[in-house]
Every structure is written in structure tokens, then in C-alpha cells.
Amino acid sequence: MRESPAEMSETRMAESVRGLLNDLVSPDAELRPRETLAALKRVLRRSPALCEASFYDALDLMSSSRKAQQRQYVVRLRLLKFMDELTLRSKAFRQLVVQNLSDMMRLCSEADHRSGAAAAERLQRLAMKCLEKWDALFSASYPQIRAVYRLYKEVKRAGYFREQERRDFAEREAGRRKVYGELRGEPPKLRTHVSCCAQGAEARAKYA
């Protein structure tokens, strides 16, 4: 059973914060993520000086998550929720988030759509939601948030157009395969006619 924050020394509280962060991202933790997050906030409320250490511990966990893709995105999602909670409540934590915002967003926007696509999309949506909220609340004091927010929106828009382009190309290829498949399935006379037309065009091009 964990000690209450009032009973802990600073060293013990730092160890407790580190342990709770590991629990937050562990699938085998005794407490559910929501309960772990509440316990973290209680400890950090007792000792605001631990905010800096907790931020860098969380960022390290985000960066070092090299598990299966699906699990990696879940780890980062939970840590981003923790960072969002502390950003809203602690000026010291908020300043650290602003100083490291580009790295945080890079970790949240990495996505491998071959695996864990659903979890990756949830992470990216939460990152965008956090940026939008932080921009509305804090960009007057921290213009860096507005700059990163605008950049992130542009990256997302560019990513959307690239994905649309990929889908359009796939549809065109599917259409071509369908046409060629239908031609291959036509009676021999039609196939011969198509082949002769193609050969005639090649001959005209050669001697033109």
C-alpha cells in the first residue's frame, strides 16, 4: 500500500512519482490509468518542485517506448493526458512543455499505418486537441505554442492531401485492372482486334 503524500520525504515522493508514471503506462498495473493519474496529481500538488522531474521522466518514457506499435501509441496517449493535466494546473510544468513542445508533437505525430493505426489516430487527435486548447489558453504568454499549433495543422493538412492522393492513385489502378481484366475476358475476335490496333499504333509511331 502506498504512503500518503503527507508522510513522504522529497526523495520518497520523487520515487513515488517515477513509480506512478511507470504504472500509468503498464498494462499490468494494479490501479487503472484514471486512478494512477489522480494519485500522480495528489503527489505533485504536495510537492510542486517535482513537476520538472516528472515532466522529464514522462518525456523519457514517451521517447523510449519501443514496444509493438499498438502498445507504443497507448503509452504515449496516456502520457500526453498526464502532460495535459499538469500543463493546465502548473506554470512550472507548462513552461517545460513549451520548451519541449516540438519534440512532444513529433513523438505524437509519428505513425506507422501498417500497424496500430487506430491507436495512432487517437494519439494524433488528442495531440491536436491539446494544442488547440493550449493555444487558446496560453499563446498570449507563450507565442511558441501558436507557432507549433500552426505548423502542426499544416503538417496534418499536407498528410491529408498525401493520403487522398494515394487513394486516388489506388482507385485509378483498380479501374485500369478492371478494364484490362474485362478485355482479357472478351471473345478471341475482340482480343485479336485490340492486339492488332496496338501493333498498328506501334508501327505508325516507329515509321512516323
Side-chain angles (χ1 to χ4, degrees), residues 182-205:
E182 288 173 352
L183 285 174
R184 284 196 296 270
E186 289 295 334
K189 285 184 180 179
L190 178 58
R191 289 205 305 272
T192 303
H193 175 70
V194 171
S195 177
C196 289
C197 288
Q199 290 172 4
E202 287 176 4
R204 285 193 297 276

Side-chain angles (χ1 to χ4, degrees), residues 73-144:
Y73 297 133
V74 171
V75 165
R76 291 178 179 176
L77 185 75
R78 291 180 182 178
L79 290 167
L80 182 59
K81 286 179 180 178
F82 162 73
M83 289 176 162
D84 180 40
E85 293 273 356
L86 269 291
T87 298
L88 299 178
R89 288 165 172 75
S90 166
K91 183 177 180 180
F93 196 93
R94 191 180 311 139
Q95 289 171 336
L96 291 168
V97 166
V98 171
Q99 290 167 17
N100 296 273
L101 193 54
S102 294
D103 286 340
M104 283 175 56
M105 290 303 108
R106 177 182 55 78
L107 290 168
C108 292
S109 61
E110 287 177 352
D112 180 354
H113 292 287
R114 294 168 298 179
S115 59
E121 287 174 9
R122 283 175 59 208
L123 175 61
Q124 290 173 351
R125 282 198 302 270
L126 178 63
M128 193 65 189
K129 185 177 177 181
C130 288
L131 268 180
E132 189 173 4
K133 178 169 47 178
W134 298 343
D135 175 58
L137 292 172
F138 307 122
S139 62
S141 301
Y142 303 100
Q144 305 97 308

Side-chain angles (χ1 to χ4, degrees), residues 4-206:
S4 71
E7 297 170 332
M8 295 183 194
S9 66
E10 287 290 318
T11 303
R12 294 294 298 279
M13 278 195 282
E15 291 172 356
S16 178
V17 167
R18 196 168 292 114
L20 284 165
L21 280 170
N22 281 303
D23 286 350
L24 184 66
V25 300
S26 170
D28 304 317
E30 294 179 9
L31 297 176
R32 293 193 296 273
R34 190 183 297 274
E35 295 169 340
T36 306
L37 191 56
L40 270 166
K41 287 190 287 185
R42 283 196 300 272
V43 175
L44 292 171
R45 196 179 299 122
R46 173 71 179 172
S47 179
L50 289 174
C51 280
E52 182 173 358
S54 70
F55 172 81
Y56 286 113
D57 285 341
L59 193 61
D60 283 346
L61 284 170
M62 259 188 160
S63 304
S64 62
S65 176
R66 290 293 179 266
K67 303 176 177 65
Q69 290 288 346
Q70 175 80 14
R71 182 69 198 148
Q72 175 181 313
Y73 297 133
V74 171
V75 165
R76 291 178 179 176
L77 185 75
R78 291 180 182 178
L79 290 167
L80 182 59
K81 286 179 180 178
F82 162 73
M83 289 176 162
D84 180 40
E85 293 273 356
L86 269 291
T87 298
L88 299 178
R89 288 165 172 75
S90 166
K91 183 177 180 180
F93 196 93
R94 191 180 311 139
Q95 289 171 336
L96 291 168
V97 166
V98 171
Q99 290 167 17
N100 296 273
L101 193 54
S102 294
D103 286 340
M104 283 175 56
M105 290 303 108
R106 177 182 55 78
L107 290 168
C108 292
S109 61
E110 287 177 352
D112 180 354
H113 292 287
R114 294 168 298 179
S115 59
E121 287 174 9
R122 283 175 59 208
L123 175 61
Q124 290 173 351
R125 282 198 302 270
L126 178 63
M128 193 65 189
K129 185 177 177 181
C130 288
L131 268 180
E132 189 173 4
K133 178 169 47 178
W134 298 343
D135 175 58
L137 292 172
F138 307 122
S139 62
S141 301
Y142 303 100
Q144 305 97 308
I145 296 177
R146 176 68 52 86
V148 173
Y149 176 49
R150 286 177 174 170
L151 176 62
Y152 198 72
K153 282 202 300 186
E154 287 300 315
V155 168
K156 277 184 68 67
R157 185 160 55 187
Y160 168 79
F161 287 127
R162 280 197 300 273
E163 179 63 16
Q164 191 61 45
E165 225 174 65
R166 187 191 66 78
R167 289 178 181 174
D168 290 346
F169 178 77
E171 287 174 5
R172 288 195 300 271
E173 285 299 298
R176 289 191 189 100
R177 285 196 296 270
K178 183 180 178 183
V179 170
Y180 294 151
E182 288 173 352
L183 285 174
R184 284 196 296 270
E186 289 295 334
K189 285 184 180 179
L190 178 58
R191 289 205 305 272
T192 303
H193 175 70
V194 171
S195 177
C196 289
C197 288
Q199 290 172 4
E202 287 176 4
R204 285 193 297 276
K206 181 176 180 182

